[in-house]
Protein backbone atom coordinates (compact mmCIF):
# COMPACT_ATOMS: atom_id res chain seq x y z
CA UNK A 1 0.00 0.00 0.00
CA UNK A 2 0.97 3.61 -0.41
CA UNK A 3 -1.01 5.79 2.00
CA UNK A 4 -3.88 3.33 2.00
CA UNK A 5 -3.89 2.85 -1.79
CA UNK A 6 -3.08 -0.67 -3.00
CA UNK A 7 -0.03 -0.83 -5.27
CA UNK A 8 -0.91 -4.03 -7.11
CA UNK A 9 -3.77 -2.49 -9.17
CA UNK A 10 -1.67 0.61 -9.95
CA UNK A 11 1.07 -1.59 -11.36
CA UNK A 12 -1.52 -3.63 -13.30
CA UNK A 13 -2.95 -0.45 -14.82
CA UNK A 14 0.26 1.44 -15.57
CA UNK A 15 2.72 -1.39 -16.11
CA UNK A 16 6.20 -1.74 -14.65
CA UNK A 17 8.84 -0.47 -14.03
CA UNK A 18 6.90 2.25 -12.29
CA UNK A 19 7.81 4.87 -9.71
CA UNK A 20 5.15 5.61 -7.07
CA UNK A 21 5.39 8.61 -4.73
CA UNK A 22 3.56 9.59 -1.59
CA UNK A 23 2.60 13.28 -1.61
CA UNK A 24 1.86 13.09 2.12
CA UNK A 25 5.38 11.84 2.89
CA UNK A 26 6.97 14.59 0.80
CA UNK A 27 4.86 17.19 2.63
CA UNK A 28 5.62 15.75 6.07
CA UNK A 29 9.35 15.61 5.42
CA UNK A 30 9.46 19.15 4.02
CA UNK A 31 7.55 20.43 7.04
CA UNK A 32 9.83 18.58 9.46
CA UNK A 33 12.80 20.57 8.14
CA UNK A 34 10.86 23.84 8.07
CA UNK A 35 9.65 23.35 11.65
CA UNK A 36 13.10 22.33 12.87
CA UNK A 37 14.48 25.67 11.67
CA UNK A 38 11.42 27.74 12.63
CA UNK A 39 12.33 30.74 14.73
CA UNK A 40 15.51 31.39 12.76
CA UNK A 41 15.53 33.19 9.38
CA UNK A 42 15.84 30.41 6.83
CA UNK A 43 14.79 29.45 3.32
CA UNK A 44 14.56 25.88 2.10
CA UNK A 45 15.71 25.63 -1.50
CA UNK A 46 14.69 22.10 -2.49
CA UNK A 47 17.51 20.54 -4.57
CA UNK A 48 15.78 19.67 -7.82
CA UNK A 49 18.56 17.28 -8.74
CA UNK A 50 17.10 14.73 -6.30
CA UNK A 51 13.82 14.54 -8.21
CA UNK A 52 12.59 17.23 -10.58
CA UNK A 53 9.46 15.61 -11.97
CA UNK A 54 7.17 18.62 -12.46
CA UNK A 55 4.38 17.42 -10.17
CA UNK A 56 6.85 16.89 -7.32
CA UNK A 57 8.53 20.23 -7.95
CA UNK A 58 5.11 21.93 -7.97
CA UNK A 59 4.07 20.13 -4.80
CA UNK A 60 7.13 21.47 -3.02
CA UNK A 61 6.54 25.00 -4.28
CA UNK A 62 3.00 24.77 -2.91
CA UNK A 63 4.44 23.81 0.47
CA UNK A 64 6.50 27.02 0.52
CA UNK A 65 9.80 25.66 -0.71
CA UNK A 66 12.23 27.58 -2.88
CA UNK A 67 14.48 25.87 -5.44
CA UNK A 68 18.12 24.89 -5.93
CA UNK A 69 18.85 24.32 -9.62
CA UNK A 70 21.96 22.64 -10.92
CA UNK A 71 21.62 23.26 -14.65
CA UNK A 72 19.82 25.41 -17.18
CA UNK A 73 17.31 22.58 -17.55
CA UNK A 74 16.55 22.55 -13.84
CA UNK A 75 16.06 26.34 -13.90
CA UNK A 76 13.52 25.83 -16.70
CA UNK A 77 11.74 23.13 -14.71
CA UNK A 78 11.67 25.39 -11.63
CA UNK A 79 10.12 28.22 -13.67
CA UNK A 80 7.54 25.90 -15.22
CA UNK A 81 6.70 24.65 -11.75
CA UNK A 82 5.89 28.24 -10.82
CA UNK A 83 8.98 29.39 -8.91
CA UNK A 84 9.97 32.99 -9.54
CA UNK A 85 13.66 33.67 -10.28
CA UNK A 86 14.20 35.27 -6.86
CA UNK A 87 13.35 31.87 -5.33
CA UNK A 88 16.04 30.02 -7.26
CA UNK A 89 19.70 29.54 -6.37
CA UNK A 90 21.86 28.27 -9.19
CA UNK A 91 24.68 25.89 -8.29
CA UNK A 92 26.91 23.68 -10.43
CA UNK A 93 30.56 23.09 -11.13
CA UNK A 94 30.53 23.68 -14.89
CA UNK A 95 28.07 26.42 -15.73
CA UNK A 96 28.44 27.45 -19.36
CA UNK A 97 28.26 31.03 -20.59
CA UNK A 98 24.75 30.23 -21.86
CA UNK A 99 23.73 28.91 -18.40
CA UNK A 100 25.17 31.98 -16.67
CA UNK A 101 23.57 34.36 -19.17
CA UNK A 102 20.18 32.72 -18.60
CA UNK A 103 20.51 33.02 -14.80
CA UNK A 104 21.70 36.63 -14.99
CA UNK A 105 18.90 37.65 -17.36
CA UNK A 106 16.33 36.02 -15.10
CA UNK A 107 17.77 37.56 -11.94
CA UNK A 108 17.99 34.42 -9.80
CA UNK A 109 18.46 34.86 -6.05
CA UNK A 110 22.16 33.96 -6.27
CA UNK A 111 24.54 32.25 -8.58
CA UNK A 112 26.62 30.04 -6.32
CA UNK A 113 30.01 30.48 -7.93
CA UNK A 114 32.58 27.72 -7.96
CA UNK A 115 35.84 29.38 -9.06
CA UNK A 116 37.71 32.63 -9.67
CA UNK A 117 37.13 32.08 -13.39
CA UNK A 118 33.39 31.82 -12.88
CA UNK A 119 33.35 35.08 -10.90
CA UNK A 120 35.14 36.75 -13.81
CA UNK A 121 32.61 35.30 -16.28
CA UNK A 122 29.61 36.41 -14.20
CA UNK A 123 31.16 39.86 -13.85
CA UNK A 124 31.80 40.22 -17.59
CA UNK A 125 28.35 38.95 -18.60
CA UNK A 126 26.66 41.22 -16.04
CA UNK A 127 28.58 44.32 -17.12
CA UNK A 128 27.66 43.60 -20.75
CA UNK A 129 24.05 43.68 -19.59
CA UNK A 130 24.66 46.71 -17.35
CA UNK A 131 23.52 44.82 -14.32
CA UNK A 132 25.01 43.57 -11.06
CA UNK A 133 24.52 39.92 -10.15
CA UNK A 134 24.26 38.59 -6.63
CA UNK A 135 26.66 35.73 -6.04
CA UNK A 136 27.37 33.35 -3.19
CA UNK A 137 30.83 31.87 -3.01
CA UNK A 138 30.89 28.10 -2.75
CA UNK A 139 33.73 27.24 -0.45
CA UNK A 140 35.53 23.96 -0.29
CA UNK A 141 36.12 23.60 3.46
CA UNK A 142 38.25 20.44 3.11
CA UNK A 143 35.89 18.48 5.38
CA UNK A 144 35.45 14.74 5.04
CA UNK A 145 31.69 14.06 4.85
CA UNK A 146 32.33 10.38 5.66
CA UNK A 147 30.00 9.24 2.93
CA UNK A 148 30.54 7.27 -0.29
CA UNK A 149 33.52 8.78 -2.20
CA UNK A 150 31.34 9.34 -5.27
CA UNK A 151 29.03 11.67 -3.33
CA UNK A 152 31.69 13.40 -1.24
CA UNK A 153 32.20 16.98 -2.42
CA UNK A 154 33.88 18.92 0.38
CA UNK A 155 37.45 17.63 0.31
CA UNK A 156 40.20 19.63 -1.35
CA UNK A 157 40.70 16.68 -3.69
CA UNK A 158 37.09 17.09 -4.93
CA UNK A 159 36.35 19.33 -7.91
CA UNK A 160 33.83 21.48 -6.06
CA UNK A 161 34.09 25.00 -4.64
CA UNK A 162 36.89 27.40 -3.88
CA UNK A 163 39.60 26.52 -1.33
CA UNK A 164 38.54 28.29 1.83
CA UNK A 165 41.96 29.92 2.23
CA UNK A 166 41.61 31.62 -1.15
CA UNK A 167 38.25 33.23 -0.41
CA UNK A 168 39.31 36.41 1.50
CA UNK A 169 41.59 37.59 -1.32
CA UNK A 170 38.99 36.68 -3.91
CA UNK A 171 36.31 38.64 -2.05
CA UNK A 172 38.56 41.69 -1.82
CA UNK A 173 39.03 41.42 -5.57
CA UNK A 174 35.27 40.86 -6.19
CA UNK A 175 34.41 44.01 -4.21
CA UNK A 176 36.08 46.03 -6.92
CA UNK A 177 34.05 44.40 -9.70
CA UNK A 178 31.04 46.30 -11.02
CA UNK A 179 29.19 43.21 -12.22
CA UNK A 180 29.01 41.12 -9.05
CA UNK A 181 27.91 41.53 -5.46
CA UNK A 182 28.98 38.90 -2.93
CA UNK A 183 25.87 38.29 -0.79
CA UNK A 184 26.44 34.79 0.50
CA UNK A 185 28.79 31.96 1.36
CA UNK A 186 27.90 28.43 0.38
CA UNK A 187 29.13 24.95 1.30
CA UNK A 188 27.83 21.55 0.23
CA UNK A 189 30.15 18.80 1.39
CA UNK A 190 28.38 15.71 0.08
CA UNK A 191 25.23 13.64 0.13
CA UNK A 192 23.82 10.84 2.31
CA UNK A 193 25.71 12.22 5.33
CA UNK A 194 24.65 10.39 8.48
CA UNK A 195 27.19 11.87 10.90
CA UNK A 196 26.42 15.42 12.04
CA UNK A 197 30.11 16.11 12.76
CA UNK A 198 31.15 17.05 9.20
CA UNK A 199 28.00 19.15 8.70
CA UNK A 200 28.67 21.15 11.87
CA UNK A 201 32.31 21.49 10.86
CA UNK A 202 31.30 23.02 7.53
CA UNK A 203 28.83 25.37 9.28
CA UNK A 204 31.58 26.48 11.65
CA UNK A 205 33.90 27.14 8.72
CA UNK A 206 31.24 29.29 7.03
CA UNK A 207 30.59 31.31 10.18
CA UNK A 208 34.30 31.91 10.81
CA UNK A 209 34.84 32.95 7.21
CA UNK A 210 31.86 35.33 7.29
CA UNK A 211 33.35 36.96 10.39
CA UNK A 212 36.75 37.30 8.77
CA UNK A 213 35.24 38.76 5.60
CA UNK A 214 33.10 41.24 7.55
CA UNK A 215 36.22 42.50 9.35
CA UNK A 216 37.80 43.04 5.93
CA UNK A 217 34.76 44.90 4.57
CA UNK A 218 32.64 42.23 2.81
CA UNK A 219 29.36 41.73 4.66
CA UNK A 220 27.38 38.79 3.37
CA UNK A 221 23.62 38.42 3.92
CA UNK A 222 23.28 34.67 4.16
CA UNK A 223 25.06 31.38 4.71
CA UNK A 224 24.01 28.54 2.42
CA UNK A 225 24.55 25.26 4.28
CA UNK A 226 23.83 23.12 1.21
CA UNK A 227 22.06 19.78 1.46
CA UNK A 228 23.46 16.38 2.28
CA UNK A 229 21.58 15.12 5.32
CA UNK A 230 21.17 11.37 4.87
CA UNK A 231 18.23 9.03 5.23
CA UNK A 232 18.02 5.48 6.54
CA UNK A 233 17.98 2.96 3.72
CA UNK A 234 18.36 -0.10 5.94
CA UNK A 235 16.37 0.90 9.00
CA UNK A 236 19.37 1.92 11.12
CA UNK A 237 18.98 5.23 13.00
CA UNK A 238 20.08 8.45 11.28
CA UNK A 239 19.94 12.05 12.53
CA UNK A 240 16.54 13.70 12.19
CA UNK A 241 15.96 17.16 10.72
CA UNK A 242 15.51 18.44 14.27
CA UNK A 243 18.81 16.96 15.43
CA UNK A 244 20.47 18.55 12.43
CA UNK A 245 18.91 21.93 13.26
CA UNK A 246 19.87 21.58 16.93
CA UNK A 247 23.46 20.91 15.86
CA UNK A 248 23.92 23.75 13.36
CA UNK A 249 21.66 26.52 14.70
CA UNK A 250 23.79 27.33 17.78
CA UNK A 251 26.78 27.71 15.45
CA UNK A 252 25.01 29.90 12.91
CA UNK A 253 23.03 31.98 15.40
CA UNK A 254 26.19 33.68 16.56
CA UNK A 255 26.61 35.14 13.05
CA UNK A 256 23.06 36.51 12.94
CA UNK A 257 23.00 35.67 9.23
CA UNK A 258 19.99 34.15 7.49
CA UNK A 259 20.47 30.60 6.25
CA UNK A 260 19.69 28.82 3.02
CA UNK A 261 19.25 25.05 3.06
CA UNK A 262 19.36 22.83 -0.03
CA UNK A 263 17.91 19.47 1.00
CA UNK A 264 17.02 16.95 -1.68
CA UNK A 265 17.28 13.33 -0.60
CA UNK A 266 16.04 14.10 2.92
CA UNK A 267 12.67 15.22 1.52
CA UNK A 268 11.98 12.79 -1.31
CA UNK A 269 14.00 9.58 -0.88
CA UNK A 270 11.63 7.79 1.53
CA UNK A 271 8.60 9.11 -0.40
CA UNK A 272 9.16 6.92 -3.45
CA UNK A 273 9.21 3.24 -4.40
CA UNK A 274 10.12 1.58 -7.67
CA UNK A 275 7.67 -1.16 -8.61
CA UNK A 276 9.11 -3.95 -10.71
CA UNK A 277 8.01 -7.42 -11.76
CA UNK A 278 9.98 -10.64 -11.72
CA UNK A 279 10.75 -11.63 -15.31
CA UNK A 280 12.69 -14.79 -14.59
CA UNK A 281 14.09 -16.85 -11.74
CA UNK A 282 17.32 -18.56 -12.70
CA UNK A 283 18.99 -21.23 -10.71
CA UNK A 284 22.67 -21.01 -11.58
CA UNK A 285 23.60 -24.33 -10.02
CA UNK A 286 24.27 -24.29 -6.30
CA UNK A 287 26.14 -21.06 -6.58
CA UNK A 288 23.33 -18.57 -6.98
CA UNK A 289 19.67 -17.94 -7.52
CA UNK A 290 19.17 -14.95 -9.78
CA UNK A 291 15.87 -13.10 -9.66
CA UNK A 292 15.71 -11.10 -12.89
CA UNK A 293 13.49 -8.02 -12.64
CA UNK A 294 12.05 -5.80 -15.36
CA UNK A 295 13.82 -2.82 -13.70
CA UNK A 296 17.56 -2.38 -13.50
CA UNK A 297 20.29 0.21 -13.76
CA UNK A 298 18.34 2.15 -16.39
CA UNK A 299 15.61 2.91 -13.85
CA UNK A 300 17.69 2.88 -10.66
CA UNK A 301 21.44 3.23 -11.03
CA UNK A 302 22.24 3.84 -7.35
CA UNK A 303 23.11 0.23 -6.42
CA UNK A 304 25.50 0.00 -9.36
CA UNK A 305 26.93 3.52 -9.08
CA UNK A 306 27.34 3.82 -5.30
CA UNK A 307 26.93 0.26 -4.12
CA UNK A 308 23.77 1.66 -2.54
CA UNK A 309 21.45 -0.54 -0.51
CA UNK A 310 17.67 -0.44 -1.03
CA UNK A 311 15.23 -2.75 0.68
CA UNK A 312 13.36 -4.93 -1.80
CA UNK A 313 10.00 -6.34 -0.73
CA UNK A 314 7.22 -8.36 -2.31
CA UNK A 315 4.12 -6.21 -2.80
CA UNK A 316 1.83 -9.19 -2.17
CA UNK A 317 2.94 -11.59 0.55
CA UNK A 318 3.16 -15.14 -0.78
CA UNK A 319 4.22 -17.25 2.18
CA UNK A 320 6.86 -18.97 0.03
CA UNK A 321 10.01 -20.25 1.77
CA UNK A 322 12.69 -17.65 2.40
CA UNK A 323 15.44 -18.09 -0.17
CA UNK A 324 18.72 -16.31 -0.65
CA UNK A 325 19.17 -14.72 -4.05
CA UNK A 326 20.66 -11.89 -6.09
CA UNK A 327 18.07 -9.46 -7.43
CA UNK A 328 19.29 -8.28 -10.82
CA UNK A 329 18.13 -6.13 -13.71
CA UNK A 330 17.62 -7.15 -17.35
CA UNK A 331 20.50 -5.17 -18.88
CA UNK A 332 23.63 -6.40 -20.57
CA UNK A 333 25.94 -5.46 -17.68
CA UNK A 334 27.08 -7.73 -14.88
CA UNK A 335 26.92 -4.79 -12.49
CA UNK A 336 23.22 -4.33 -13.29
CA UNK A 337 22.08 -5.40 -9.84
CA UNK A 338 19.33 -4.12 -7.53
CA UNK A 339 20.36 -6.14 -4.48
CA UNK A 340 22.95 -8.82 -3.80
CA UNK A 341 22.61 -11.62 -1.23
CA UNK A 342 19.01 -10.94 -0.31
CA UNK A 343 16.62 -13.26 1.45
CA UNK A 344 13.16 -13.16 -0.12
CA UNK A 345 10.17 -15.49 -0.11
CA UNK A 346 11.18 -17.62 -3.11
CA UNK A 347 10.13 -15.32 -5.99
CA UNK A 348 8.14 -16.50 -9.01
CA UNK A 349 8.00 -14.94 -12.46
CA UNK A 350 5.24 -12.33 -12.69
CA UNK A 351 5.29 -11.32 -9.02
CA UNK A 352 5.42 -7.65 -8.11
CA UNK A 353 8.19 -6.20 -5.95
CA UNK A 354 8.87 -2.75 -4.51
CA UNK A 355 12.36 -1.28 -4.27
CA UNK A 356 12.00 1.10 -1.35
CA UNK A 357 13.27 4.62 -0.64
CA UNK A 358 13.91 5.38 -4.29
CA UNK A 359 12.28 8.82 -4.44
CA UNK A 360 15.67 10.60 -4.69
CA UNK A 361 18.27 10.07 -7.41
CA UNK A 362 16.07 7.38 -8.94
CA UNK A 363 13.95 8.51 -11.87
CA UNK A 364 16.16 11.58 -12.45
CA UNK A 365 19.10 9.30 -13.22
CA UNK A 366 17.12 6.98 -15.52
CA UNK A 367 18.58 6.38 -18.97
CA UNK A 368 17.71 4.86 -22.33
CA UNK A 369 20.60 2.38 -22.37
CA UNK A 370 19.69 -0.76 -24.32
CA UNK A 371 16.92 1.42 -25.86
CA UNK A 372 14.86 1.07 -22.77
CA UNK A 373 12.04 3.55 -22.26
CA UNK A 374 11.91 5.95 -19.33
CA UNK A 375 9.53 4.59 -16.68
CA UNK A 376 6.15 6.04 -15.79
CA UNK A 377 5.58 7.81 -12.46
CA UNK A 378 2.53 7.95 -10.24
CA UNK A 379 1.72 10.20 -7.29
CA UNK A 380 -0.61 9.10 -4.53
CA UNK A 381 -2.38 12.07 -2.98
CA UNK A 382 -5.52 12.21 -0.85
CA UNK A 383 -6.25 8.55 -1.48
CA UNK A 384 -5.99 8.86 -5.27
CA UNK A 385 -3.21 7.59 -7.54
CA UNK A 386 -2.60 9.73 -10.60
CA UNK A 387 -0.05 9.45 -13.33
CA UNK A 388 2.44 12.35 -13.21
CA UNK A 389 4.74 11.15 -15.98
CA UNK A 390 3.64 8.66 -18.57
CA UNK A 391 5.94 5.99 -19.88
CA UNK A 392 8.12 7.08 -22.78
CA UNK A 393 7.29 5.51 -26.13
CA UNK A 394 9.76 4.17 -28.69
CA UNK A 395 8.52 6.83 -31.14
CA UNK A 396 9.35 9.57 -28.64
CA UNK A 397 12.76 8.06 -28.07
CA UNK A 398 13.51 7.94 -31.78
CA UNK A 399 11.92 11.28 -32.63
CA UNK A 400 15.25 13.08 -32.20
CA UNK A 401 17.02 10.96 -34.77
CA UNK A 402 17.40 11.93 -38.40
C1 LIG B 1 25.10 21.95 -4.33
C2 LIG B 1 24.16 20.89 -3.89
N1 LIG B 1 23.15 21.23 -3.06
C3 LIG B 1 22.26 20.31 -2.62
C4 LIG B 1 22.36 18.99 -2.98
C5 LIG B 1 21.35 18.02 -2.45
O1 LIG B 1 21.94 17.06 -1.68
P1 LIG B 1 21.06 16.02 -0.87
O2 LIG B 1 20.12 15.40 -1.84
O3 LIG B 1 22.04 15.06 -0.33
O4 LIG B 1 20.35 16.78 0.20
C6 LIG B 1 23.40 18.58 -3.82
C7 LIG B 1 23.56 17.17 -4.19
O5 LIG B 1 24.59 16.57 -4.12
C8 LIG B 1 24.33 19.56 -4.30
O6 LIG B 1 25.33 19.23 -5.13
Amino acid sequence: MCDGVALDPIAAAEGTPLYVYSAATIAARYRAIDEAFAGYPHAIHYALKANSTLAITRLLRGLGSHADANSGGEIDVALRAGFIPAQIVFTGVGKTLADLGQAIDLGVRTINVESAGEIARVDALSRERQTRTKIAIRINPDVDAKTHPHISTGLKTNKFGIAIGDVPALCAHARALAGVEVVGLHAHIGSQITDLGPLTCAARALVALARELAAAGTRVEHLDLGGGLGVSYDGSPVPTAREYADAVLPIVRESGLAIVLEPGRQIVAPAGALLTRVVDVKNAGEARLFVVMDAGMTELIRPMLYNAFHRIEPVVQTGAVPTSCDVVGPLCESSDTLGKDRTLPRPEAGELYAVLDTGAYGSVMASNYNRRLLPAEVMVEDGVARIIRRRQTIDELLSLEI
Side-chain angles (χ1 to χ4, degrees):
M1 310 283 276
C2 174
D3 298 340
V5 177
L7 293 175
D8 206 13
I10 303 177
E14 303 300 340
T16 52
L18 178 74
Y19 275 99
V20 180
Y21 305 106
S22 155
T25 303
I26 293 173
R29 297 187 68 88
Y30 172 82
R31 289 196 184 109
I33 301 174
D34 201 27
E35 281 161 20
F37 284 88
Y40 193 84
H42 71 279
I44 300 175
H45 286 248
Y46 167 64
L48 262 71
K49 60 178 72 67
N51 189 322
S52 58
T53 302
L54 268 172
I56 290 178
T57 310
R58 277 198 199 104
L59 172 67
L60 280 151
R61 187 184 66 84
L63 293 166
S65 184
H66 296 188
D68 164 31
N70 198 58
S71 66
E74 285 188 355
I75 291 181
D76 282 332
V77 169
L79 294 174
R80 287 177 197 218
F83 290 99
I84 58 168
Q87 294 173 320
I88 301 171
V89 294
F90 183 29
T91 319
V93 78
K95 305 179 201 80
T96 63
L97 291 178
D99 292 336
L100 292 172
Q102 176 196 17
I104 293 166
D105 289 338
L106 284 168
V108 296
R109 176 175 181 178
T110 57
I111 297 179
N112 292 347
V113 293
E114 296 258 356
S115 69
E118 193 169 89
I119 294 175
R121 287 188 285 281
V122 175
D123 176 52
L125 290 168
S126 303
R127 280 187 292 110
E128 261 170 48
R129 291 160 166 80
Q130 297 183 333
T131 186
R132 193 156 200 226
T133 301
K134 291 181 191 289
I135 60 171
I137 298 199
R138 179 170 182 179
I139 64 159
N140 182 318
D142 197 22
V143 168
D144 183 358
K146 299 190 192 131
T147 182
H148 190 280
H150 293 180
I151 44 176
S152 178
T153 57
L155 283 169
K156 64 178 176 210
T157 47
N158 299 134
K159 66 182 175 182
F160 300 94
I162 299 171
I164 191 160
D166 295 345
V167 176
L170 204 56
C171 274
H173 167 68
R175 273 221 313 280
L177 302 175
V180 296
E181 183 188 0
V182 181
V183 298
L185 297 175
H186 173 229
H188 172 79
I189 59 168
S191 195
Q192 186 50 18
I193 302 169
T194 54
D195 175 349
L196 292 176
L199 290 166
T200 52
C201 236
R204 239 179 249 114
L206 284 173
V207 170
L209 182 61
R211 196 186 312 120
E212 185 184 340
L213 293 179
T218 304
R219 277 177 202 286
V220 297
E221 294 161 10
H222 73 258
L223 301 178
D224 182 337
L225 305 184
L229 189 59
V231 299
S232 179
Y233 285 105
D234 62 1
S236 55
V238 292
T240 60
R242 184 158 297 281
E243 285 163 343
Y244 172 56
D246 288 348
V248 296
L249 278 178
I251 298 167
V252 173
R253 191 165 272 127
E254 174 211 325
S255 74
L257 296 170
I259 50 177
V260 165
L261 303 163
E262 300 174 352
R265 187 191 307 271
Q266 178 64 207
I267 296 175
V268 289
L274 172 62
L275 301 187
T276 176
R277 268 189 211 284
V278 180
V279 174
D280 197 5
V281 181
K282 281 177 63 165
N283 211 331
E286 281 176 17
R288 275 263 183 295
L289 185 73
F290 290 108
V291 181
V292 186
M293 297 297 199
D294 67 2
M297 60 178 268
T298 39
E299 290 71 36
L300 182 67
I301 202 172
R302 299 192 67 257
M304 167 181 178
L305 196 57
Y306 312 124
N307 210 11
F309 175 89
H310 287 273
R311 285 175 291 164
I312 302 172
E313 293 185 0
V315 170
V316 179
Q317 301 299 328
T318 63
V321 273
T323 309
S324 82
C325 55
D326 283 353
V327 183
V328 300
L331 286 113
C332 291
E333 299 287 329
S334 291
S335 50
D336 177 33
T337 297
L338 292 174
K340 268 192 183 319
D341 292 324
R342 299 303 176 89
T343 301
L344 296 174
R346 194 189 157 89
E348 296 285 346
E351 284 174 357
L352 185 64
Y353 275 74
V355 187
L356 301 184
D357 304 318
T358 48
Y361 307 105
S363 79
V364 278
M365 287 189 173
S367 80
N368 290 121
Y369 182 45
N370 280 196
R371 293 295 195 175
R372 286 167 59 80
L373 305 171
L374 297 179
E377 298 179 70
V378 160
M379 174 108 83
V380 174
E381 191 165 17
D382 299 327
V384 178
R386 72 183 163 95
I387 193 100
I388 57 170
R389 189 173 81 179
R390 59 177 175 72
R391 192 174 307 283
Q392 193 179 31
T393 66
I394 189 73
D395 287 337
E396 286 166 341
L397 176 59
L398 291 174
S399 66
L400 301 175
E401 297 184 25
I402 296 144

